[in-house]
Amino acid sequence: MKKLSHPHHLAEWKRIILEERPAYDKVIAVSSGTCGRARGSLQIFEAFKQEIERRRLSLTVGIEATGCHGLCEMEPNIVISPEGFFYKKLDVKDIPAIVERTILKNKVIPSLVYEDPATGRKHPRQNEIPFYQKQTRLLTENNFRINPERIEDYIALDGYQALAKALFDMTSESVIAEVKASGLRGRGGAGLLTGKKWESCREARGHPKYIICDADEGDPGSSMSRGLLEANPHSLIEGMIIGAYAIGASEGFMCVGTNYPLAVEHITLALEQARNHGLLGSAIFGSEFHFDIHVVQVAGAFVSGDETSLIAALEGKKAFPRQQPPFPAQQGLWGKPTDIHHVETWANLPIILNKGADWFTEIGTDKSPGTKIVTLGGRINNTSLAEVPLGTRLRKIIFDIGGGIKDKRALKAVQTGGPRGGFIPAEKMDVPLDYETLSQSGSILGCGGIIVMDKDTCMVDAARYSLSVSAEESCGKCAPCRVGTRQMLEILDRISHGQGQASDIVRLEDLAAVMKAASLCDLGQTAPNPVLTTLRYFKDEYDAHIREKRCPALVCQSLAPARKKAKNSRKQETGREAI
Amino acid sequence: MDIEKILKESGASQRDLVPLLHKIQAAVGHIPRESIAAIAKQLRLSESEVFGVLSFNKSFTLEPRGKIRVMVCRGTACHVRGGGKVVEEMEKKFGTPAGRSSAGKELSLDETGCLGCCAMGPVVVVNGTHYSQVSPENVDSILEKAKASD
Amino acid sequence: MKVIIDGLPFQVADKMSILDFARDKGITIPSLCHYPGLIPFSGCRLCLVAVKGRKALAPACDTFLEDGMEVTTNTPAIHKIRRQILELILSEHANPSPVSDDRKSCLGALSETGEANQASGYSLSSNNGRHEFLKILGTLNPDQAQFPSLEGTFEIHKEDPLLDRNYNLCVLCGRCVRICHEVRGVSALAFVNRSSRAAVGTALGRRLLDTECQFCGACLDVCPTGALTEKSLKAEVLPDTEKNTICSFCGQGCTLRLALKQGKIMGSVPAKQGTVNQGQACLKGRFLVAEAVYHRSRVSRPLVRKNGKLQETTWNEALAVIAQEFSRCQARDIAIAGSACDSCEDIFALEKFGGEGLKTENRIGSGDFTAQARFREFALGQSLEPRLNFRLSDIGRAKTIVLFGENLAVSQPIVWLEVHRAIRSGAKLIIVGPQELCIRRCASSWIKLRPGQESELLTGLSKILVESGHAAEFSRFEGFAVFKKNLEECVLSEAAASAGLQEERLLKLALSLEKRKPAAFLFGAEFCEGPSGAANLAALRNLALQTQGLIVPLSSESNSRGALEISAAFGKKNGYPGRIVQGISSGSFKALYFAGSFLRLGKKPAEFLAIQDSYLDGNADYADVILPQATFAEVEGTFVNVEGRLQKCERAIEPQAEAKPGWQIIRQLARKMGMSGFSFKAASDVFQELAGRVPAFSGLSWDQLTRGAFLQEPETDFRKFTAAETLADLEESVDIASGPDIYKGLNMSRDIKDLRLIRGR
């Protein structure tokens, strides 16, 4: 394996890759992220391989296992290039027909085509499916085209050119200036200007400097990090190296969890490949810049999202957050200047450098340029990973992209940002997806989880569940959060069991106030959001539980009459497993 | 891989603690109580410090796990889709509450945080294999498959 | 810089947190987790204050004043938040239950027990009702019933000696964890578990005895609620006064604050403003003072052997017997053995009595066998002025510390704190010795070496430094040429092998020493003993010259240095101390006087033996007369600690029964024998004479010793390398009973049950 020692080598390598690519007539991309595999995508892949071999089509038909295509609801799914046919919810028995009719004869199989739940129309091509059409897939558009275990696929799509540009055509300062001009804000939830953070870290005194990628997705209902790590790991690596160059860091840490073994596999392999090609490690691209990245498992080790807690966990200490200032940019890992960003933030960097800050600011809003990957879940038709410009209204995300509510039900509420996000009622779906706007509505953007609820969701129970997650996540250092979450949970438990009292509402508000004002870190400060928003927008449900001992949504067991089994309309599939 | 070997190959400072614990847990299935002293010695920490980090971290357990490790996702989406009922059913079938020691037993049951496959929920992972849309009704068939493939 | 706090303008000189500054100015800001000397934790959230221009409240303990800052420390809103935080904390504990913290009572009950303390005069709550939590409860007046109690109760930990842990009273302020970790360097306690199950504890809930806990009591002293309490003080009477004294159990010289009730010692705590110890101590000074002073083996009346049995008698008779015996003997048949646990006044009086009164040259003391004594002997033999003074803070500033053999955490606890402080600032500790010590954890390396082989290692290091060209500055020193030549004989691979190291490791060690200057070398008596003692000291001294190293010989008795200086002032004795010891053991003398008993006797060593001690130990079996001596808590006197710092010990209680200070006993004895020059009326008189005669004490005045003063030492320290050729063998080592747990005739680790248990681990 030859190490790249000059940017020209990169262009040359890309040329060779494209030249040496087999001249397939058709390529089948099988969506094979963890979600796909849970539904049997690897068996689909195998079945295709066998069928292609059986029909002696190996020289003209390519088959790839890619990362997640985003439309998880339709797993297992495939995209057939170059036409872009999209087939959904495949079963092994569908394979022969697909090869026979679509691969060989370009004929579409209607039963496998995506059908829009709202209009009933069928869309055989991926780029015509409203789910995809209405998105702006800057970070995720290449998911169909990349085998995450092959660096060559990334190179073929102009991978690492942004890095070459940064190293050879720009100074560290001009890289920072460009990122500042782009207005990129941290995608982990805090929304601080990335460029400013970099500048602050660069100017800080201390050596060596460190870069950290927070890839430990703790919040339930969020899988955007998993999506990126599994599908396009090199985009993160490139972003991190650019950041290291800008700041002057020599060591980076990719902090992963234990819940995504496939993601860890892919990123570890990608790092090795990058090193082997001289894109990571000492003398990157033959320059004098040295930087390497270590993968560290930190799962369950720190308080989600808090930078100082993550730093303590990396240091092997008890992961209590500490007061800021001083900020990690000045005093972080082992007391040295450290720059921490979420996976999605890093993934934006190559695009910004390649296409320019001006181009980037055209997307999104003035204050928040760019896109955000969101995880759509709950009672939505298209459970998925979608990418939209910041500022997109929730209505569009849920109905146009998400396909609306399952079973044509009415929307009741939406929880954004994970278990510490607030619930936004159906009337407020014009709220744009953005940092400030969601905060003003009592919620948070968080890392982009969006859970959709219909009338079968009891808001009291939903608030209770969210709070139980926060109570578990709480590190226990400060009393407002440690005890506050517990006391709030106790009240909500009682209410959902028909033992609520009139004074409970005031108690909840008091607790929320103390937690917001006095908690040490973001977790305690935002944990009350689910409760506060449900109190604000769904007070009637609390009243019903407390005064009438009744659960309007028929969820709270002690209060609801027994539901007939027939009412459960979900399909009872035998659990399908992957190999 | 036995613990002594893992310790020998480990670094010797505080930052190596969590990776070391992960390796031990991956090899043995849990963190044996007797190993805490050796870990402390290797990393030059006090046993209390090691235990402090170990007990804080939700990934680690001191309780032996069965040969077949069953994990039920308790993330929001899976919860909304009935994950709680799946856990209840499994607890009934195993006769042991989730999270408890299953020393000597074949199966152990744990709850886990969100696995990121929300469209597939409720999700159950058995020794690394994911099962989707699990319900109390198909718990039995999943367990049979798991025992067979072992 | 200028700041405004609560509307008042202030000038701020140094970088200070809002909390520290406010407290300094008398402005009250409540806090549970803050403690001077500990890194701010900002966990309890009680100290939140409003800072103009900031949206969120800021924790005063961890927010530093800046020019122009405007702070409001209390508003109705802030007060409400503080109260609510307390209410939340209270709800973590079982609901109030009746008084007595032997039950699983809760925090709320503390306020009741606090009042009950006052009323009854008994300590019903821990730490004599001293805990700060009471004050905070009083200021903020939380409603204990505001939130339901959600947690269960903890079992109270009583399985350890000396202290109990009742986590039903714990508020998770973390002070105990942090002081054990940041200051004491032991980390026996940690925060365990998470969220509402978060607690303070040990690994797997073990006893403290099963951790590295040294039972220093620091955690007790910082606990604001009394969750950690002293066993012996529960349901005990409350003290009526407190008096300071200087602890004499080892050579650190900690200031202890003794709690007294009607003239009796109840307990002790380290004095926060203690010159040497600054609020820290060890388990002996913290927990065992009363037990030692009132120990069952304490002798408090004169004893004379009649018909084979020791019987109580009067001072008159006892002294008369001794006077008679001594008067009968020739000077050369008498030997005197003094103790380095005694005050300077006691030691001086004894030396004067022996040297000028009895005119015998057979005078030794336990201070003759210490590392300090050996180092002085070595230095004088090289025509060097021995410099023995050092400050603890010098060790704190060292960048490399090399420790030979001593388990500092046990034998030199305050020195250990300073070493640990250095380590936390980035210094490297290298331990050289045969056994793995508990402090090995904090060391960057441990070189396993049998005593006696240190000189090869040290010489090897010197050679590497010279050869790697770091010799330039030192080449100007006297004796360098010979030193360099002698190094040629050293073979690096052999030097490394003798220490069980690869040569490369030896190289790394040397360069590390070179890079991380200044260095500090700490050693005890073992380092200087035996045939290799002189070689060790020589090699060490040379290496210290090359690395700007501080040489710190350590000794474990409370006045070793004082004994050394006073003894030196009285001139050369008959042969080396070791020979005198041999003479005693082999029965060469006719009459002996022991002050303290550091010599292990297997049989009666002479026709006549008189012992002056506070305790009856094994040697009492051979004694003809025993004179009761007062302990350190019962005397006014001066002691010189391991730094060379002279401190005055105030008398805290009256001597027990007929016990007397050593100098008074000698005065009476001398007078009985008709000697002149022993007319001291008070300890200050003895000191005055002492200061006039002992060069190290010149210029020191009894009245000006409030904060202690360093002994005088000559300014110059020759930059001169030690040559092997001129080395004289040091004294042969002698087996004596001395060590950190031995106070005169009391072997604390043998005779005090709790210490026996702790040391026996």
Side-chain angles (χ1 to χ4, degrees), chain C residues 310-381:
Chain C
L310 285 171
Q311 292 176 16
E312 285 186 0
T313 180
T314 60
W315 271 104
N316 219 6
E317 187 188 344
L319 291 173
V321 170
I322 301 176
Q324 197 180 31
E325 287 295 328
F326 279 7
S327 305
R328 273 219 296 260
C329 291
Q330 305 264 11
R332 61 167 184 275
D333 292 324
I334 301 177
I336 315 264
S339 166
C341 294
D342 284 337
S343 67
C344 296
E345 293 74 25
D346 294 347
I347 296 172
F348 178 79
L350 184 61
E351 276 284 335
K352 188 174 180 186
F353 173 72
E356 294 174 5
L358 295 175
K359 296 196 172 50
T360 173
E361 289 197 340
N362 306 319
R363 306 189 316 276
I364 54 170
S366 56
D368 293 327
F369 304 99
T370 62
Q372 289 184 339
R374 299 235 182 265
F375 185 69
R376 149 164 288 151
E377 190 190 330
F378 159 80
L380 291 174

Side-chain angles (χ1 to χ4, degrees), chain A residues 127-161:
Chain A
N127 58 8
E128 287 165 1
I129 299 176
F131 169 76
Y132 287 109
Q133 230 185 17
K134 307 262 163 118
Q135 293 182 44
T136 307
R137 291 174 67 88
L138 298 185
L139 306 174
T140 49
E141 74 176 332
N142 286 333
N143 285 11
F144 308 112
R145 307 187 196 110
I146 292 180
N147 175 340
E149 295 180 7
R150 267 210 309 264
I151 186 173
E152 287 81 358
D153 286 2
Y154 186 67
I155 302 293
L157 295 167
D158 292 338
Y160 288 104
Q161 286 193 10

Side-chain angles (χ1 to χ4, degrees), chain C residues 367-403:
Chain C
D368 293 327
F369 304 99
T370 62
Q372 289 184 339
R374 299 235 182 265
F375 185 69
R376 149 164 288 151
E377 190 190 330
F378 159 80
L380 291 174
Q382 293 286 310
S383 306
L384 296 167
E385 292 291 344
R387 287 184 64 78
L388 294 171
N389 283 0
F390 71 95
R391 282 169 195 271
L392 284 173
S393 49
D394 293 336
I395 296 180
R397 276 194 290 269
K399 297 276 188 299
T400 311
I401 299 172
V402 184
L403 172 64

Side-chain angles (χ1 to χ4, degrees), chain C residues 194-205:
Chain C
R194 187 184 192 123
S195 68
S196 61
R197 288 174 310 287
V200 171
T202 57
L204 302 170

Side-chain angles (χ1 to χ4, degrees), chain C residues 15-243:
Chain C
K15 180 179 182 192
M16 267 185 119
S17 70
I18 298 175
L19 183 62
D20 285 335
F21 187 77
R23 287 198 172 161
D24 197 45
K25 299 293 176 208
I27 301 170
T28 316
I29 301 178
S31 159
L32 275 174
C33 66
H34 176 263
Y35 198 81
L38 294 181
I39 298 171
F41 193 54
S42 60
C44 72
R45 314 307 288 168
L46 287 177
C47 69
L48 290 175
V49 294
V51 176
K52 188 167 177 199
R54 294 196 194 187
K55 262 195 315 184
L57 297 174
C61 63
D62 208 2
T63 309
F64 290 84
L65 290 167
E66 292 165 14
D67 196 26
M69 208 182 235
E70 285 184 45
V71 179
T72 312
T73 64
N74 205 357
T75 63
I78 291 177
H79 183 91
K80 180 175 178 193
I81 287 174
R82 289 179 182 155
R83 209 190 64 230
Q84 283 174 317
I85 292 172
L86 268 189
E87 285 164 357
L88 287 172
I89 292 175
L90 286 174
S91 78
E92 281 190 299
H93 302 262
N95 283 313
S97 69
V99 150
S100 162
D101 63 6
D102 236 32
R103 301 199 212 170
K104 291 164 189 177
S105 62
C106 97
L107 290 179
L110 282 182
S111 53
E112 293 165 27
T113 54
E115 285 152 24
N117 271 2
Q118 301 296 337
S120 67
Y122 274 81
S123 168
L124 294 167
S125 71
S126 346
N127 288 348
N128 300 337
R130 258 199 306 249
H131 40 254
E132 300 153 57
F133 193 67
L134 268 184
K135 292 205 198 80
I136 296 179
L137 284 177
T139 325
L140 294 173
N141 250 311
D143 174 2
Q144 291 179 31
Q146 171 70 331
F147 295 107
S149 162
L150 295 177
E151 310 300 330
T153 51
F154 290 90
E155 281 303 313
I156 302 176
H157 289 274
K158 295 189 186 176
E159 64 273 14
D160 281 308
L162 304 177
L163 57 97
D164 288 340
R165 292 179 288 143
N166 180 0
Y167 289 114
N168 296 299
L169 300 176
C170 177
V171 290
L172 297 172
C173 68
R175 284 184 185 177
C176 56
V177 174
R178 288 147 59 214
I179 201 157
C180 192
H181 178 69
E182 293 171 25
V183 174
R184 304 300 306 206
V186 174
S187 310
L189 291 170
F191 275 105
V192 298
N193 299 332
R194 187 184 192 123
S195 68
S196 61
R197 288 174 310 287
V200 171
T202 57
L204 302 170
R206 294 194 177 129
R207 305 178 300 176
L208 286 175
L209 269 178
D210 298 322
T211 67
E212 296 292 358
C213 174
Q214 298 293 317
F215 291 88
C216 69
C219 54
L220 273 192
D221 292 334
V222 297
C223 178
T225 61
L228 305 172
T229 60
E230 201 170 333
K231 276 183 148 85
S232 65
L233 291 184
K234 286 195 179 160
E236 253 297 354
V237 289
L238 293 174
D240 49 39
T241 28
E242 289 182 341
K243 281 226 173 112

Side-chain angles (χ1 to χ4, degrees), chain A residues 34-39 72-73 75 217-223 226 251 253 258-261 294 296-303 313-320 334 375 377-380 383-384 406 415 419 451 457 461 464-465 472-476 557 565 570-579, chain B residues 13-23 25-26 43 45 48-60 71 73-83 85 88 112-125 128-139 141-142 145-146 149:
Chain A
T34 308
C35 46
R37 293 179 190 219
R39 278 260 190 90
C72 310
E73 188 69 37
E75 294 281 359
E217 208 151 45
D219 279 347
S222 302
S223 41
R226 180 178 65 72
E251 215 177 328
F253 297 90
T258 47
N259 44 347
Y260 298 157
H294 313 285
V296 183
Q297 264 192 338
V298 289
F302 69 103
V303 179
L314 273 175
E315 292 175 346
K317 298 182 187 151
K318 190 68 176 245
F320 283 155
W334 298 299
T375 312
R379 302 289 294 155
I380 197 165
T383 317
S384 56
K406 265 193 154 67
Q415 186 182 34
I451 308 258
T457 308
D461 179 65
R464 189 197 60 78
Y465 172 78
E472 261 307 301
E473 270 301 302
S474 170
C475 69
Q557 291 292 323
K565 270 221 165 142
R570 250 180 297 137
K571 275 192 277 193
Q572 301 288 332
E573 284 178 52
T574 325
R576 301 171 66 180
E577 86 273 19
I579 294 175
Chain B
S13 59
Q14 189 157 23
R15 64 188 271 183
D16 301 304
L17 178 55
V18 173
L20 177 56
L21 288 170
H22 274 297
K23 282 215 179 77
Q25 174 136 320
L43 303 179
L45 300 170
S48 300
E49 281 178 296
V50 170
F51 186 75
V53 171
L54 196 169
S55 60
F56 181 83
N57 189 318
K58 295 179 293 187
S59 309
F60 301 131
M71 316 220 307
C73 177
R74 297 294 279 125
T76 324
C78 290
H79 169 80
V80 161
R81 291 189 185 194
K85 296 239 167 54
E88 271 172 39
T112 170
C114 177
L115 295 167
C117 319
C118 309
M120 321 297 158
V123 172
V124 171
V125 183
T129 302
H130 289 65
Y131 293 86
S132 60
Q133 275 147 299
V134 180
S135 69
E137 286 76 24
N138 53 33
V139 160
S141 66
I142 291 173
K145 281 201 194 102
S149 64

